[in-house]
């Protein structure tokens, strides 16, 4: 079973996501037929299937798989186990993406609480989950706690993961300033984002930079620039994620609101 899960992961990395999904569904069916409902292998298969489904834009189906992995974790792991926190983060992040902030919050809070107890051995995950919860609170209208979390200093450690985290922090602080502070300060944060740290111009995360910058330009009264950036964000996410990705709808909603404000209905 472990070999098949590794094989499925290899298929996914190679871009053959449909075949990866088929293999993982077969693994899950076999384990369930053996009434092996609490095994690590089954939990791993659920989690891997969730990741593969997410890549196909099937967010609701992915959430169901991550919840199944989480249920096994609750039954079999120490509640303070860091691997359990990853499942909590996966579920919370997917609920956030669906706009269900109230449901996402307890998962992300519990995940962060676990990693605070493992700060010395897991500094990256602690910093990552701090940003994740801060972003959620930013989006759900809890600005004071969001600001405190998002401003938490990131350790001066090297590596692609740390660079991405620093870029995400600037994105989040830029959006915080757009919503609750100064548009000028928002632009300063967005200008500080190193695109290479985001993964390059073809990274899906570029969509967030384009959208949030477009919204800031709109607030500053630069309507044509805002329209262009929001259109770029929509097209970028449709290409690098999929046309049903939530960000595409967010960018298109922004465009529609901009046109309505201009009287172009």
């Amino acid at each position: 079973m472990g070999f098949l899960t590794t094989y499925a992961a290899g298929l996914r990395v190679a871009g053959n996501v449909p075949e990866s999904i088929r293999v993982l569904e077969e693994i899950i069916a076999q384990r369930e037929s053996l009434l092996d409902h609490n095994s690590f292998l089954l939990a791993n298969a659920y989690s891997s299937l969730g990741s593969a489904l997410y890549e196909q834009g099937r967010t609701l189906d992915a959430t169901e798989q991550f919840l199944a992995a989480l249920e096994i974790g609750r039954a079999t792991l120490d509640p303070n186990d860091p691997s359990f926190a990853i499942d909590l983060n996966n579920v919370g992040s997917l609920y956030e993406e669906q706009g269900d902030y109230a449901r996402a919050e307890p998962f992300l809070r519990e995940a962060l609480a676990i990693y605070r107890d493992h700060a010395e051995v897991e500094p990256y995950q602690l910093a990552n989950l701090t940003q994740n919860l801060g972003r959620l609170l930013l989006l759900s209208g809890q600005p004071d706690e969001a600001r405190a979390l998002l401003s938490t200093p990131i350790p001066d450690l090297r590596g692609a993961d740390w660079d991405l985290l620093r870029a995400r922090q600037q994105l989040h602080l830029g959006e915080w300033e757009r919503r609750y502070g100064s548009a000028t300060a928002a632009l300063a944060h967005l200008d500080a984002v190193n695109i290479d740290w985001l993964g390059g111009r073809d990274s899906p995360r570029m969509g967030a930079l384009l959208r949030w910058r477009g919204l800031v330009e709109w607030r500053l009264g630069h309507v044509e620039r805002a329209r262009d950036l929001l259109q770029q964000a929509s097209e970028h996410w449709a290409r690098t994620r999929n046309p049903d990705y939530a960000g595409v709808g967010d960018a298109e909603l922004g465009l529609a609101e901009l046109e309505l404000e201009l009287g172009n209905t």
Side-chain angles (χ1 to χ4, degrees), residues 161-228:
D161 287 341
W162 288 104
D163 289 342
L164 174 58
L165 198 54
R166 279 182 270 274
R168 290 180 59 223
Q169 183 180 48
Q170 293 299 326
L171 280 174
H172 298 154
L173 289 171
E175 178 62 1
W176 191 97
E177 289 290 351
R178 182 189 75 82
R179 291 179 180 231
Y180 306 112
S182 155
T184 302
L187 275 183
H189 283 294
L190 297 179
D191 285 343
V193 174
N194 185 318
I195 293 174
D196 289 337
W197 289 358
L198 281 180
R201 294 191 178 276
D202 289 331
S203 166
R205 291 184 176 87
M206 269 296 298
L209 178 59
L210 291 166
R211 175 176 176 260
W212 286 349
R213 181 154 196 134
L215 294 173
V216 173
E217 295 285 1
W218 182 5
R219 181 174 166 184
L220 290 169
H222 306 155
V223 176
E224 291 302 324
R225 177 66 173 152
R227 179 189 284 126
D228 180 56

Side-chain angles (χ1 to χ4, degrees), residues 88-105:
L88 288 164
N89 178 67
N90 288 338
V91 172
S93 296
L94 284 177
Y95 278 137
E96 178 199 313
E97 188 172 306
Q98 295 164 44
D100 195 343
Y101 302 142
R103 189 174 290 180
E105 186 173 335

Side-chain angles (χ1 to χ4, degrees), residues 218 230 251-261 264-265:
W218 182 5
L230 290 170
E252 291 180 349
L253 179 60
L255 280 168
E257 291 175 346
L258 186 151
E259 297 295 346
L260 182 62
E261 183 175 298
N264 299 330
T265 57

Side-chain angles (χ1 to χ4, degrees), residues 63-247:
T63 305
E64 183 179 329
Q65 300 305 315
F66 284 128
L67 281 169
L70 185 61
E71 184 177 348
I72 293 175
R74 286 200 186 278
T76 60
L77 295 175
D78 183 317
N80 203 37
D81 190 311
S83 62
F84 180 53
I86 296 300
D87 289 333
L88 288 164
N89 178 67
N90 288 338
V91 172
S93 296
L94 284 177
Y95 278 137
E96 178 199 313
E97 188 172 306
Q98 295 164 44
D100 195 343
Y101 302 142
R103 189 174 290 180
E105 186 173 335
F107 288 99
L108 293 181
R109 284 192 182 279
E110 187 177 354
L112 179 57
I114 291 172
Y115 268 101
R116 280 177 171 157
D117 289 338
H118 296 82
E120 293 184 2
V121 295
E122 297 283 357
Y124 172 76
Q125 284 298 347
L126 176 62
N128 182 51
L129 292 174
T130 299
Q131 286 295 307
N132 287 354
L133 179 58
R135 179 191 60 212
L136 172 71
L137 298 178
L138 158 70
L139 296 173
S140 63
Q142 302 178 62
D144 294 340
E145 188 179 1
R147 178 76 190 197
L149 290 168
L150 295 175
S151 300
T152 301
I154 294 176
D156 186 21
L157 297 172
R158 298 296 111 193
D161 287 341
W162 288 104
D163 289 342
L164 174 58
L165 198 54
R166 279 182 270 274
R168 290 180 59 223
Q169 183 180 48
Q170 293 299 326
L171 280 174
H172 298 154
L173 289 171
E175 178 62 1
W176 191 97
E177 289 290 351
R178 182 189 75 82
R179 291 179 180 231
Y180 306 112
S182 155
T184 302
L187 275 183
H189 283 294
L190 297 179
D191 285 343
V193 174
N194 185 318
I195 293 174
D196 289 337
W197 289 358
L198 281 180
R201 294 191 178 276
D202 289 331
S203 166
R205 291 184 176 87
M206 269 296 298
L209 178 59
L210 291 166
R211 175 176 176 260
W212 286 349
R213 181 154 196 134
L215 294 173
V216 173
E217 295 285 1
W218 182 5
R219 181 174 166 184
L220 290 169
H222 306 155
V223 176
E224 291 302 324
R225 177 66 173 152
R227 179 189 284 126
D228 180 56
L229 286 165
L230 290 170
Q231 185 62 50
Q232 287 183 51
S234 175
E235 293 172 355
H236 183 86
W237 269 322
R239 177 171 56 84
T240 60
R241 292 280 196 183
N242 60 77
D244 296 324
Y245 178 62

